Amino acid sequence: MTVSAIITAAGKNSRMRKDQISRNLEVKNKLILPFNDKTVLETTIDNTLYANIDECIVVLGHYSDEIMDAISDNYEDSVKFIINNPCDVGLSTSLYHGLSNISSDFALCVTGDQPTVSTDTFNNMINVLEKCENPFNTISILRRRKTGLLDTAEGLGMPFVAPRVNLMNYLENEDDNLNPILRKIFADGYTFYGIKEKNKKELLNINHYDDYLDVIK
């Protein structure tokens, strides 16, 4: 079983920038804000690279120059950076672009603003597909409500592991957030398996500045 990681880092960052302006803070993309001794995106990349994956793709778009200038050069041999063109597209298009640049059977799909999700949790998601009877009809996903076999896809998003080709079929010609697409996949009979978080911070999304303050506590 081959697994490639896709990290989406292409968003407009509009909510974070609005918060920074309202607080009279320096306006910075949330992905390059400090997290421990690195940036949010670098920490996400590091946690992903340590997982049981074969390659890692980072999809950039808005503010790609700002992001690339802020991260180190240490990923030259371990990460492939690609840029959306045009850049003004939805998350599903960014993910499709990443999936189009890999050849693995399965994809670990992560957003760049998930530095709190541990390598162990990524591996737990991968392990579910390695052990299940029908991995090409299964999505392993960080739970939001229940763990184990799920009876709904409501509220779900990244990170998750899914069969690459099947996922691309759902993402093609879509330009939307992921949850409506995941709900459609669930309605078509795919098995969704919810993975329990290692700690509560893994469930936090960094959309607003207060979210960022919560994850760095």
Side-chain angles (χ1 to χ4, degrees), residues 4 11 26 35 40-41 63 88-89 91 96 160 165 167 188 199:
S4 296
E26 180 184 0
F35 190 89
V40 167
L41 179 57
Y63 311 108
D88 193 16
V89 296
L91 179 57
Y96 184 86
F160 61 81
V165 173
L167 181 59
D188 283 348
N199 58 68

Side-chain angles (χ1 to χ4, degrees), residues 153-197:
E154 295 291 332
L156 295 177
M158 293 198 274
F160 61 81
V161 182
R164 178 183 67 91
V165 173
N166 301 27
L167 181 59
M168 288 182 71
N169 289 337
Y170 282 94
L171 294 173
E172 190 172 11
N173 300 320
E174 295 285 349
D175 191 34
D176 199 353
N177 289 324
L178 279 180
N179 185 255
I181 298 169
L182 290 172
R183 293 202 308 266
K184 183 176 181 181
I185 296 172
F186 183 87
D188 283 348
Y190 279 71
T191 298
F192 276 58
Y193 194 93
I195 299 298
K196 183 174 174 56
E197 72 281 3

Side-chain angles (χ1 to χ4, degrees), residues 1-213:
M1 174 174 163
T2 54
V3 181
S4 296
I6 309 294
I7 301 176
T8 57
K12 293 181 179 179
N13 194 51
S14 54
R15 286 173 287 188
M16 178 64 75
R17 287 177 179 260
K18 183 178 179 181
D19 286 353
Q20 290 169 332
I21 291 170
S22 70
R23 295 170 185 241
N24 293 317
L25 298 171
E26 180 184 0
V27 177
K28 278 188 173 183
N29 191 292
K30 63 182 178 181
L31 299 178
I32 63 173
L33 291 174
F35 190 89
N36 295 331
D37 59 344
K38 293 194 174 184
T39 63
V40 167
L41 179 57
E42 286 173 309
T43 306
T44 302
I45 292 173
D46 289 349
N47 291 343
T48 305
L49 284 175
Y50 283 118
N52 296 327
I53 61 169
D54 298 283
E55 63 178 334
C56 181
I57 306 286
V58 175
V59 184
L60 301 172
H62 291 280
Y63 311 108
S64 58
D65 289 341
E66 179 183 356
I67 293 170
M68 289 301 295
D69 287 345
I71 65 176
S72 70
D73 296 328
N74 296 335
Y75 301 113
E76 184 175 344
D77 297 324
S78 55
V79 176
K80 179 181 179 181
F81 292 90
I82 60 176
I83 301 177
N84 287 332
N85 184 20
C87 69
D88 193 16
V89 296
L91 179 57
S92 62
T93 302
S94 292
L95 186 54
Y96 184 86
H97 189 194
L99 292 165
S100 301
N101 280 271
I102 65 171
S103 57
S104 296
D105 294 330
F106 295 89
L108 167 63
C109 304
V110 185
T111 63
D113 61 352
Q114 294 182 315
T116 57
V117 182
S118 66
T119 300
D120 287 343
T121 296
F122 291 143
N123 282 336
N124 287 340
M125 290 192 286
I126 293 169
N127 289 341
V128 164
L129 289 187
E130 287 181 333
K131 295 177 181 178
C132 75
E133 291 184 2
N134 191 358
F136 288 97
N137 196 53
T138 303
I139 290 181
S140 176
I141 194 162
L142 179 61
R143 70 103 185 190
R144 296 305 189 274
R145 299 169 187 168
K146 296 180 180 180
T147 59
L149 291 176
L150 302 181
D151 56 10
T152 178
E154 295 291 332
L156 295 177
M158 293 198 274
F160 61 81
V161 182
R164 178 183 67 91
V165 173
N166 301 27
L167 181 59
M168 288 182 71
N169 289 337
Y170 282 94
L171 294 173
E172 190 172 11
N173 300 320
E174 295 285 349
D175 191 34
D176 199 353
N177 289 324
L178 279 180
N179 185 255
I181 298 169
L182 290 172
R183 293 202 308 266
K184 183 176 181 181
I185 296 172
F186 183 87
D188 283 348
Y190 279 71
T191 298
F192 276 58
Y193 194 93
I195 299 298
K196 183 174 174 56
E197 72 281 3
K198 193 172 183 179
N199 58 68
K200 290 183 178 180
K201 285 189 176 181
E202 290 195 325
L203 300 178
L204 296 177
N205 293 321
I206 305 176
N207 292 318
H208 296 278
Y209 195 76
D210 282 338
D211 300 331
Y212 170 66
L213 296 178

